[in-house]
Amino acid sequence: MGKIRVGILGAGGIAAVHASILQRDERVEIVAVADMVEAAAKKLATTIGEHVVCGDSVVSLIDAGVDTVYVTTPNRTHLQPVLTCLKNSINVFCEKPMATSVAEGEQILKAACDSKAVYNLGMSRRFAHAHQYIKKLIDSGRLEPFSAHVRLNRGELLNPAWTADPDQTGGFLYETTIHQLDLLEYLFGPIKTLRCEACQAISDSELDNFAILFTFESGMVCTMMSSAHSGWSFPFERVEIFGRYATLETQEIESVRFSPGLNQKIESEEYRLLPHDEKGGYVRENQLFIDALVNDSEPPVPVEQAQRLNLLIACVYESAREQKEIDFSTRTREMIG
Ligand SMILES: NC(=O)c1ccc[n+]([C@@H]2O[C@H](COP(=O)([O-])OP(=O)(O)OC[C@H]3O[C@@H](n4cnc5c(N)ncnc54)[C@H](O)[C@@H]3O)[C@@H](O)[C@H]2O)c1
């Protein structure tokens, strides 16, 4: 098998992170980069090599002969290039969010099911060392969660300015909180119900302050707080889990403390000094995605999981706006099957 021929659509901040990781993977060749801003495409291409073709659209990447596209454009521009790729049997790694409505997600789900190509959603936080450590503890049975409290705040919606524009982000939950919402089913299994209280604390244009209660099929309960204007004061990101005489807490994605039982030694993990792309899970998610292409196996975040997460976000907004509890089990059965 030859190398995976990658094209990158959208040559901004996160594209540079993926490009740098893919360059270190000998199974991959980055063939082309496209951006609606010519200078941005050229700047990223220069860091990769002289052979890289520059273009301005997903079509220019396909014309350059890629078999896999990374969609790393802003949130509301993911849908069309993803559909074009899947229709042309081109594998897709799409950055979060999958889409910003359930209907758009349904189009992607159908296109992926009809396509020979692989679809994967980039949910890097799942693969952060801190969260992988929790996943192993739960899967091995060392930590049996009965309840949890999860938080993901953002300091402000001022910088860059587009983060305050829900027409561009789809809303704060699609932009930021999506990472922690994704962790819920990944770590704790299927969600049964949810109820959200939210308000526009300081934003003129969108809900920016959320308190959410989740119940799970397992019987577990979890609360989540997410605020868009906490001023970058640490800690802004945390997972707390309570089990059988056991407690676990993360501090950002820098460290984890696990107290496994009464009269037992506390175990702690420190990831502080790891490089940003390693600590944040970007290296691992790329490795797993390329593994899936090479081995013809399931990608790390397949399209069905992407659409469940997409539906979960829509349900949290619906619960907040209509002041009601949502039966997520029934909703997923009706809408995803
Ligand atoms: N997984 C993560 O941790 C993570 C981190 C950052 C960003 N992201 C996601 O990645 C995406 C990109 O974010 P970013 O911070 O790199 O943004 P960015 O603004 O730095 O880069 C986006 C690039 O896309 C280009 N672009 C915009 N619309 C385009 C279009 N229609 N066609 C071609 N090019 C277009 C822009 O010119 C820009 O160069 C977003 O969806 C964001 O949510 C994910």
Side-chain angles (χ1 to χ4, degrees), residues 9-16 18 34-37 40-41 56-58 71-78 81 95-97 122-125 160 162 174-175 179 280 282 285:
L9 180 71
I14 200 67
H18 290 302
D35 198 291
M36 62 193 288
V37 177
D56 60 1
S57 66
V58 71
V71 176
T72 51
T73 54
N75 298 2
R76 278 251 153 114
T77 60
H78 293 172
E95 260 304 340
K96 52 71 127 165
M123 292 308 312
S124 52
R125 267 301 191 276
W162 59 263
Y174 289 103
E175 173 57 22
H179 284 293
Y282 301 101
E285 67 168 351

Side-chain angles (χ1 to χ4, degrees), residues 14-327:
I14 200 67
V17 174
H18 290 302
S20 132
I21 294 165
L22 291 172
Q23 279 176 273
R24 286 175 258 149
D25 190 328
E26 58 188 22
R27 302 169 296 174
V28 174
E29 181 183 359
I30 303 176
V31 175
V33 172
D35 198 291
M36 62 193 288
V37 177
E38 192 182 350
K42 280 195 175 141
K43 190 174 166 204
L44 180 60
T46 307
T47 67
I48 302 167
E50 280 175 6
H51 66 282
V52 176
V53 175
C54 286
D56 60 1
S57 66
V58 71
V59 175
S60 65
L61 296 176
I62 296 173
D63 289 347
V66 305
D67 53 49
T68 301
V69 165
Y70 274 60
V71 176
T72 51
T73 54
N75 298 2
R76 278 251 153 114
T77 60
H78 293 172
L79 176 68
Q80 287 311 326
V82 166
L83 293 179
T84 302
C85 287
L86 292 172
K87 202 171 149 205
N88 287 281
S89 303
I90 305 280
N91 306 308
V92 192
F93 181 115
C94 180
E95 260 304 340
K96 52 71 127 165
M98 174 201 215
T100 53
S101 74
V102 175
E104 287 178 358
E106 277 170 354
Q107 286 186 64
I108 294 171
L109 180 64
K110 180 168 186 326
C113 292
D114 292 346
S115 174
K116 288 193 299 249
V118 172
Y119 173 91
N120 178 68
L121 183 66
M123 292 308 312
S124 52
R125 267 301 191 276
R126 225 191 237 206
F127 303 101
H129 281 251
H131 300 144
Q132 287 295 302
Y133 177 74
I134 301 175
K135 176 85 176 144
K136 282 195 192 102
L137 287 178
I138 293 175
D139 287 354
S140 69
R142 284 195 74 211
L143 174 59
E144 182 189 359
F146 296 138
S147 60
H149 177 62
V150 175
R151 171 170 64 216
L152 186 57
N153 288 343
R154 192 187 150 92
E156 33 66 23
L157 295 178
L158 300 171
N159 194 11
W162 59 263
T163 56
D165 179 1
D167 285 342
Q168 294 198 52
T169 62
F172 178 64
L173 296 181
Y174 289 103
E175 173 57 22
T176 300
T177 321
I178 185 170
H179 284 293
Q180 235 64 342
L181 288 166
D182 177 57
L183 280 183
L184 296 180
E185 290 205 317
Y186 181 61
L187 293 176
F188 307 134
I191 291 170
K192 192 171 168 199
T193 64
L194 63 93
R195 174 76 173 92
C196 176
E197 286 289 333
C199 65
Q200 286 185 223
I202 62 174
S203 168
D204 294 333
S205 54
E206 64 170 316
L207 297 170
D208 59 359
N209 213 62
F210 296 82
I212 318 167
L213 175 66
F214 297 93
T215 67
F216 292 76
E217 298 289 357
S218 66
M220 200 197 135
V221 291
C222 174
T223 53
M224 177 183 278
M225 299 293 296
S226 190
S227 155
H229 43 76
S230 61
W232 297 121
S233 169
F234 289 88
F236 56 80
E237 177 170 359
R238 175 165 284 186
V239 178
E240 292 173 359
I241 302 174
F242 307 97
R244 189 179 300 276
Y245 308 115
T247 307
L248 177 142
E249 59 162 346
T250 61
Q251 294 206 0
E252 321 311 339
I253 51 172
E254 309 288 320
S255 64
V256 189
R257 271 164 56 93
F258 173 47
S259 172
L262 296 173
N263 307 318
Q264 290 190 41
K265 222 172 70 175
I266 289 175
E267 300 171 19
S268 54
E269 292 277 312
E270 278 281 348
Y271 310 109
R272 217 168 290 275
L273 298 182
L274 292 178
H276 166 258
D277 59 0
E278 176 71 41
K279 180 166 53 186
Y282 301 101
V283 170
R284 185 75 182 134
E285 67 168 351
N286 275 287
Q287 184 190 29
L288 290 171
F289 175 61
I290 301 298
D291 285 352
L293 299 186
V294 170
N295 303 328
D296 201 14
S297 56
E298 172 129 311
V301 186
V303 70
E304 296 80 7
Q305 288 182 26
Q307 177 62 344
R308 269 186 86 93
L309 176 60
N310 189 36
L311 181 59
L312 180 62
I313 296 174
C315 287
V316 174
Y317 275 122
E318 183 183 329
S319 172
R321 290 191 176 118
E322 297 185 16
Q323 297 271 294
K324 64 178 190 193
E325 182 179 277
I326 308 266
D327 179 344

